[in-house]
Amino acid sequence: MEVMQRLSLSAEVVERLGVVWGKSAGKAGGAVHLLLGHLLDTAAVAELMWDRYLAPRTKKLLEVVSGGRGRMLFVWLCAVHDVGKATPAFQEFDAAAAARVRASGLSWRSAALKSKRWRHDKAGGRLLMDVLGPEWRPEHVGWVWPLIAGHHGAFPSAGVLGDRAVPREHQGRGAQWGEVQRALLEVVTRCVGFGGVADACPRVVPSRAEQLELSGLIVMADWIASDSRYFPGIDRIDRVGLGVSRDRARDAWGVLGLRGGWGVLPDPGDGDLVEVRFGQKGRASQDQLVSFVREVSVPSLCIVEGPMGEGKTKAALVAAEVLAARFGCDGVFVGMPTQATSDPMYSQVRRWLREFGGDLESQVALLHGKRMFNPEWRKASAPGAEAEGECCSEDSSFDGIDEDDELYGIVSRQAERYGPIDWFLGRKRGLLCSFAVGTVDQLLFAATRTRHVMLRFAGLAGKVVIIDEVHAADVYMQQFLVEALRWLGQVRVPVVLLSATLPPAQRRALVEAYVSGQAGWAGPVDVEVPEPGGYPSITGAYVQDGRAEVVCRSTESWRNAYPVALEWLPDVSVDGGVVAERTAREVADGGVALVVLNTVERAQGVFRALDARFPGEVHLLHGRLCTAHRADRTAVCLECLGPAAGAARPGRMIVVATQLAEQSFDIDADVLLTDLAPIDLLLQRIGRLHRHEGTVRPAVLAVPRVVVTGVMPGEGVPVLHGGSEAIYGRLRLLRTAAVVERTLAEGGTWSVPSQVPGLVAEVYGDGAVCPSSWGEAEEKARVKWEASERDRAAAAEDFLLAARGEWSRPTLSGLHYGQTAGAGDEKDLEAVVRDGKRSVEVVIVRRRGGGYTALDGAALGVHGEASEHVLDEVLGGTTRLPAKLTKAAESELRPLDGWRGHPWLEHSLALVLGEDGTARLGEWEVFYDPQLGLVMRASLTG
């Protein structure tokens, strides 16, 4: 009221500001909430975000943009987000509230409003154009209005808000509407501290990526301030004020327990950070990375390549600490290739943060669709957090007053809060948590043209980003990874990428994406990316003074290079009988064999044969095991064959596995038998061979040996296993086979790890590798491969965040062009960033008499009800079906009736095995064998 008096607003304008509403009584806890009140509530939340949440680098950005008034500008941007509600198109929505507005003298023709849909976010963008246009420089109007017009998740183009497109009746026709709209904006502007609308004009235009970050933070402030439990309606203008809103915001912040991460992190100094954080003296390759990030003067991309077991992850975490301290980052995101690799990384990051003191370790969010199955997550997170976070709709349609209402709040639990803050576990908000570990998909989602993508991007922009196993991204996923690196480069986020080794073309593409983003280059980029001179290596890339700089460094591995002997074992059978026989011979007198097959059926066949000869000594690991069995067997393998095995290492043990053994599987085998795979993956498997120092081995297995099978070599073109070819394509397999064939002709050994980069570069390069007699077969495979790669890359473009060549445009106007992926939940988003055949997970239960049991026999209720004491047993039966069963599963399976309303089960598909232990899905009969896992066979009645 004091501000309005100083502005000398007329009594009529004050009266109208006292009835223009922002939240209906139904949405605001029983009383209408005035629009001015909601704007000031959001301003008060923004003040707390600045003080207690924003990363130091974000504050520094806003200080530059505002000319030293960063806090005030941020608060203003958040406050004005809903000014478009001061229009007839919105005020019409609630009949009772609309009647008060009409009674104040603001009028409109209701019939005219039905002719066109006009949303308040777009109306707000146009309102700012009109009010700020005469007061601000055009370039600043141009970047600010999209933040307001896009705050409900999608950025419209300027043409949508042009004079011909704007329905004047909807926007507010006549001087009275214009007067109220300008007064509203002026009052809010002065309340937050500016001398007026003109005074609020920024000084510097932020980059497009920086605008996207700010947009996400505006949405965050809006969603917090829109929770009616903490911001109930105030329907009298004399009770509205920034002081009142500050009291409400402080209470809400406290109840929700919102917080940031490190804040201003002290420089860790020049000591051995690996030893400080992990208790192990840093290796040369780890010291090399830390030295680089201590020296580089601007945020950078750093690609770390090194052999398996080199300690890349620990090096990346301590490098993240240095980068955060130097460049004002408030946390870390670690992205992993799969859910299975995310879980142990979650544990490692929590242990790392424990070394900082305080309770940071409890604030780590685990971000993937099956996190509720992780016992450590369930113990560390707040009870019931999954229920609100995972189950609400993401409907992008406009169906009334506020289409995002279901996304605003989450039931808080002030008592017993010992995990990541509940609010951050809601839809689309996980990356806003200062410390997060999840699948790389979380990063890729932030590079998709989806609604509310700004929330995901804002979560990344304040962090150091670490992505492990980068080589695991196929050509489709790489399109999103490259897109993400462009945007992260432009917002100047430090990024650390980890890989065993990368093909030169892939390394170059990653570097070019980041530096083009950092430099703001719109056209094709041609940056010289030298090949590393040794292995392990780092490739650092950044832009300084407008020039791209790429630095390559290499050092010696912590372990000496050792020879690995290769040989062929011809076999392409389904059951792998030859492989089983050879494995049995290898360990006849003891030893540990790792057998990696490319298909589940082949792994099951080899296991059957070996288990008959060595009962109790053979362990099977693949993706069709239920969660409990897979976890138990993995734990046994790590206990017996891991780095701390010691005396627990058995005299004889055989592990039969699929590709699960390629990544984050820290076991030590004496001999490896493996199906042929592309060279980089073959080398990943070899990384499990003679991995740990000091292991006692049988004399006959003292020299590392790899037996390559899944192929029939001969005089002509080798015959490849059909399943392998379906998974990896023919070209890479042929070229890898040619390199193996040549190696055998030249002595039969590889020097590991020293030869690793050269082998990968040779297979993935364009030079001649295959014998001339394979020429026609290789050329056909190349043509097919290149066509497939082009098609897959083109398919990804439909969902990339920015159109080709347009990502460096100056504003967010029109960012959500054309087709926008309106994914309903995380599973749908996974389908956007991964183009493989879709598969679904089911929870296997058994029918017993008149009720059900869990897979392990634990009794459930008559309708499948699962009490808390049997929940682990039920969830332990979660199993992924083969892709060929996806369609049948989605059409035929549903949750059990007793799972309705259960936070972790109500959306789970139940695969019910009958009394005979089988179930039918489409044309297939399936059953679960305790040793083999899920088995499928063609139905005899199909």
Side-chain angles (χ1 to χ4, degrees):
M1 292 297 294
E2 293 175 2
V3 170
M4 288 189 285
Q5 290 171 1
R6 289 200 300 270
L7 286 170
S8 300
L9 297 181
S10 67
E12 291 81 3
V13 171
V14 173
E15 178 188 359
R16 289 161 186 164
L17 289 176
V19 293
V20 170
W21 59 277
K23 300 285 181 182
S24 66
K27 298 289 187 180
V32 166
H33 193 29
L34 296 182
L35 177 55
L36 181 58
H38 174 57
L39 301 188
L40 295 180
D41 287 343
T42 310
V45 169
E47 289 179 335
L48 291 175
M49 288 173 62
W50 178 280
D51 296 338
R52 306 182 188 183
Y53 176 79
L54 293 193
R57 58 156 299 282
T58 305
K59 294 181 182 181
K60 183 177 180 180
L61 161 68
L62 283 159
E63 292 289 359
V64 171
V65 169
S66 67
R69 299 184 294 178
R71 186 176 190 269
M72 202 181 303
L73 177 62
F74 177 67
V75 172
W76 183 85
L77 288 170
C78 294
V80 302
H81 73 284
D82 260 354
V83 291
K85 289 184 175 180
T87 55
F90 183 85
Q91 296 298 305
E92 168 85 356
F93 271 120
D94 185 275
R100 294 178 62 200
V101 177
R102 289 180 182 274
S104 74
L106 293 172
S107 61
W108 63 87
R109 294 180 296 120
S110 296
L113 299 186
K114 298 177 181 179
S115 63
K116 182 175 181 176
R117 190 177 85 173
W118 187 242
R119 294 167 44 133
H120 73 266
D121 47 359
K122 295 178 183 177
R126 177 53 195 250
L127 193 155
L128 287 186
M129 286 182 179
D130 292 340
V131 176
L132 300 181
E135 307 283 350
W136 285 18
R137 290 168 57 181
E139 63 268 28
H140 295 299
V141 179
W143 74 263
V144 168
W145 74 255
L147 305 188
I148 307 310
H151 81 271
H152 274 281
F155 300 100
S157 65
V160 174
L161 307 186
D163 289 340
R164 294 184 178 181
V166 174
R168 297 312 304 177
E169 189 71 29
H170 297 64
Q171 188 74 6
R173 189 184 297 276
Q176 291 177 330
W177 274 108
E179 190 177 29
V180 167
Q181 291 165 351
R182 285 174 173 80
L184 176 70
L185 193 58
E186 192 70 46
V187 169
V188 171
T189 302
R190 290 176 182 265
C191 280
V192 303
F194 286 111
V197 169
D199 184 41
C201 184
R203 303 296 187 266
V204 175
V205 177
S207 71
R208 201 183 195 200
E210 291 165 342
Q211 294 167 34
L212 190 63
E213 177 190 5
L214 295 178
S215 173
L217 295 172
I218 291 169
V219 174
M220 177 179 173
D222 178 25
W223 284 11
I224 295 171
S226 294
D227 193 327
S228 63
R229 290 163 302 163
Y230 313 116
F231 298 92
I234 300 177
D235 58 2
R236 286 179 49 181
I237 191 71
D238 58 348
R239 294 180 180 176
V240 169
L242 188 56
V244 173
S245 292
R246 283 170 173 159
D247 290 339
R248 287 149 62 99
R250 278 192 294 269
D251 290 343
W253 195 275
V255 174
L256 290 171
L258 297 170
R259 57 171 294 172
W262 281 312
V264 178
L265 188 64
D267 190 312
D270 297 329
D272 186 342
L273 267 184
V274 175
E275 187 171 24
V276 170
R277 298 303 180 201
F278 298 104
Q280 303 168 351
K281 184 173 175 55
R283 296 168 178 168
S285 60
Q286 296 171 326
D287 293 342
Q288 176 179 253
L289 174 61
V290 176
S291 296
F292 172 78
V293 298
R294 280 174 169 155
E295 295 168 9
V296 69
S297 57
V298 294
S300 63
L301 169 72
C302 195
I303 301 175
V304 181
E305 298 175 72
M308 294 63 71
E310 186 70 23
K312 297 187 293 293
T313 303
K314 291 177 180 176
L317 291 175
V318 296
E321 179 182 351
V322 175
L323 291 166
R326 297 195 63 212
F327 301 118
C329 303
D330 193 42
V332 173
F333 169 68
V334 182
M336 303 296 294
T338 64
Q339 295 176 2
T341 55
S342 298
D343 287 349
M345 182 56 65
Y346 167 68
S347 301
Q348 182 169 348
V349 169
R350 294 185 75 230
R351 290 193 298 270
W352 168 59
L353 287 172
R354 189 178 305 152
E355 298 300 316
F356 290 84
D359 63 344
L360 292 178
E361 68 168 304
S362 69
Q363 301 305 312
V364 185
L366 178 60
L367 303 181
H368 63 66
K370 296 299 177 183
R371 64 188 176 190
M372 74 284 289
F373 298 136
N374 182 302
E376 185 176 359
W377 167 256
R378 288 169 57 194
K379 182 178 180 181
S381 61
E386 300 294 339
E388 285 75 355
E390 294 298 326
C391 298
C392 56
S393 168
E394 195 170 303
D395 181 12
S396 63
S397 64
F398 181 74
D399 57 3
I401 294 174
D402 234 328
E403 69 272 33
D404 289 333
D405 279 343
E406 79 277 7
L407 300 174
Y408 290 149
I410 183 169
V411 176
S412 63
R413 294 170 184 80
Q414 197 166 17
E416 298 187 34
R417 178 177 286 108
Y418 43 81
I421 303 307
D422 295 3
W423 192 90
F424 292 125
L425 303 181
R427 299 291 294 161
K428 310 178 183 183
R429 308 178 211 168
L431 287 174
L432 292 169
C433 196
S434 294
F435 303 101
V437 177
T439 58
V440 68
D441 301 46
Q442 301 296 326
L443 172 79
L444 306 183
F445 294 162
T448 59
R449 198 170 57 263
T450 46
R451 288 180 61 82
H452 297 113
V453 67
M454 66 283 286
L455 274 174
R456 304 183 194 277
F457 189 78
L460 291 172
K463 297 179 174 62
V464 178
V465 172
I466 301 171
I467 306 298
D468 201 1
E469 310 276 11
V470 176
H471 59 270
D474 61 21
V475 67
Y476 183 86
M477 294 173 66
Q478 284 178 34
Q479 308 309 305
F480 296 98
L481 178 57
V482 165
E483 180 77 358
L485 288 176
R486 289 193 190 103
W487 287 84
L488 293 176
Q490 191 174 77
V491 82
R492 303 178 74 78
V493 166
V495 178
V496 182
L497 304 179
L498 310 179
S499 179
T501 189
L502 288 173
Q506 187 177 357
R507 186 188 304 113
R508 185 168 55 254
L510 299 175
V511 168
E512 289 178 350
Y514 187 85
V515 299
S516 66
Q518 203 169 65
W521 296 333
V525 176
D526 184 15
V527 178
E528 184 178 349
V529 183
E531 287 296 303
Y535 187 70
S537 69
I538 62 169
T539 301
Y542 54 91
V543 174
Q544 193 162 26
D545 299 326
R547 293 181 54 188
E549 302 286 347
V550 181
V551 177
C552 287
R553 297 179 183 177
S554 58
T555 187
E556 295 295 324
S557 175
W558 69 277
R559 61 184 295 180
N560 295 327
Y562 58 94
V564 175
L566 280 77
E567 61 179 287
W568 284 127
L569 178 63
D571 179 56
V572 292
S573 63
V574 174
D575 62 2
V578 173
V579 180
E581 181 61 34
R582 176 59 181 272
T583 305
R585 294 205 310 270
E586 292 287 348
V587 296
D589 297 321
V592 174
L594 172 62
V595 185
V596 184
L597 292 315
N598 291 341
T599 66
V600 172
E601 289 77 12
R602 193 162 153 87
Q604 289 173 330
V606 170
F607 172 83
R608 282 193 189 97
L610 288 171
D611 186 60
R613 297 190 55 174
F614 305 105
E617 297 179 321
V618 188
H619 301 262
L620 177 64
L621 278 173
H622 59 73
R624 295 185 205 163
L625 291 170
C626 70
T627 302
H629 291 168
R630 180 169 160 180
D632 290 345
R633 295 181 193 183
T634 300
V636 168
C637 290
L638 293 174
E639 180 182 357
C640 295
L641 305 176
R649 185 177 173 88
R652 177 167 50 219
M653 183 170 174
I654 303 171
V655 179
V656 180
T658 56
Q659 292 87 341
L660 296 180
E662 287 176 3
Q663 298 166 343
S664 302
F665 191 48
D666 192 7
I667 68 166
D668 182 344
D670 299 325
V671 62
L672 171 68
L673 295 91
T674 173
D675 276 343
L676 181 69
I679 189 69
D680 52 333
L681 304 183
L682 186 60
L683 291 166
Q684 281 281 103
R685 298 174 187 185
I686 291 174
R688 319 299 152 190
L689 186 61
H690 288 229
R691 184 179 178 97
H692 302 143
E693 288 187 325
T695 302
V696 178
R697 312 180 196 279
V700 295
L701 301 176
V703 176
R705 283 188 298 111
V706 179
V707 180
V708 182
T709 186
V711 62
M712 295 291 288
E715 295 298 325
V717 180
V719 176
L720 305 175
H721 184 267
S724 300
E725 193 170 334
I727 295 168
Y728 300 117
R730 186 169 176 79
L731 180 64
R732 301 290 184 233
L733 293 177
L734 280 178
R735 289 177 68 86
T736 301
V739 170
V740 173
E741 189 76 25
R742 187 194 66 209
T743 300
L744 293 174
E746 295 175 351
T749 63
W750 284 337
S751 179
V752 176
S754 57
Q755 276 189 266
V756 167
L759 291 169
V760 172
E762 187 175 18
V763 169
Y764 280 84
D766 297 324
V769 173
C770 296
S772 58
S773 60
W774 303 8
E776 183 178 353
E778 182 186 14
E779 182 58 26
K780 287 182 178 178
R782 183 180 298 281
V783 170
K784 183 177 180 180
W785 174 267
E786 291 176 349
S788 173
E789 297 288 276
R790 285 194 302 271
D791 290 346
R792 297 177 70 195
E797 286 191 18
D798 289 340
F799 299 108
L800 293 179
L801 182 53
R804 179 184 290 274
E806 295 187 3
W807 68 268
S808 60
R809 291 176 59 185
T811 78
L812 295 171
S813 172
L815 182 67
H816 284 83
Y817 65 93
Q819 183 180 5
T820 294
D825 56 33
E826 187 164 292
K827 290 182 293 185
D828 294 331
L829 274 174
E830 287 174 359
V832 170
V833 298
R834 295 179 184 254
D835 71 336
K837 295 180 179 178
R838 287 191 310 111
S839 61
V840 298
E841 285 189 325
V842 297
V843 177
I844 301 179
V845 296
R846 299 182 185 275
R847 193 181 298 281
R848 289 283 191 268
Y852 301 93
T853 70
L855 180 60
D856 74 342
L860 306 180
V862 174
H863 302 292
E865 296 87 350
S867 61
E868 188 62 32
H869 73 277
V870 298
L871 182 60
D872 282 343
E873 286 81 355
V874 177
L875 295 176
T878 304
T879 310
R880 185 165 293 278
L881 297 179
K884 63 182 68 176
L885 296 180
T886 298
K887 185 176 180 180
E890 291 179 336
S891 63
E892 299 175 21
L893 302 183
R894 59 177 179 80
L896 296 180
D897 291 342
W899 294 354
R900 292 176 183 170
H902 193 286
W904 292 335
L905 291 173
E906 69 172 339
H907 298 291
S908 298
L909 300 178
L911 176 62
V912 181
L913 305 181
E915 297 281 0
D916 64 351
T918 69
R920 181 171 174 175
L921 276 175
E923 299 177 354
W924 297 89
E925 184 180 69
V926 298
F927 64 94
Y928 191 89
D929 183 280
Q931 289 186 305
L932 298 174
L934 190 78
V935 181
M936 54 184 292
R937 58 194 175 203
S939 173
L940 297 178
T941 60

